[in-house]
Amino acid sequence: MADGPQRFRTGARERGRGHGLGLTIALGQAHVIGAGLDFANAAGGGAIATVRLPEHPLR
């Protein structure tokens, strides 16, 4: 968790050497639109991804 999503990185040997590009692409796209994307471990296992969208006034 401290390193954030990185291309082709995983800690699970049974899943191979990486998890692909999905989280890295999502993080990059969030950055482009000024959004935040946070990752955490779920209490019962698994993961939590939280997207914080920027506020923009209605036009």
Side-chain angles (χ1 to χ4, degrees), residues 30 32-35 52-59:
V32 167
I33 65 169
R52 291 175 283 104
L53 299 174
E55 268 190 58
H56 291 286
L58 295 175
R59 295 180 186 188

Side-chain angles (χ1 to χ4, degrees), residues 5-11 16-24:
Q6 295 180 7
R7 291 183 280 183
F8 306 114
R9 181 178 177 152
T10 184
R17 294 190 51 89
H19 55 37
L21 296 171
L23 294 178
T24 304

Side-chain angles (χ1 to χ4, degrees), residues 1-6 9 39-41:
M1 292 305 302
D3 297 328
Q6 295 180 7
R9 181 178 177 152
F39 302 99
N41 291 317

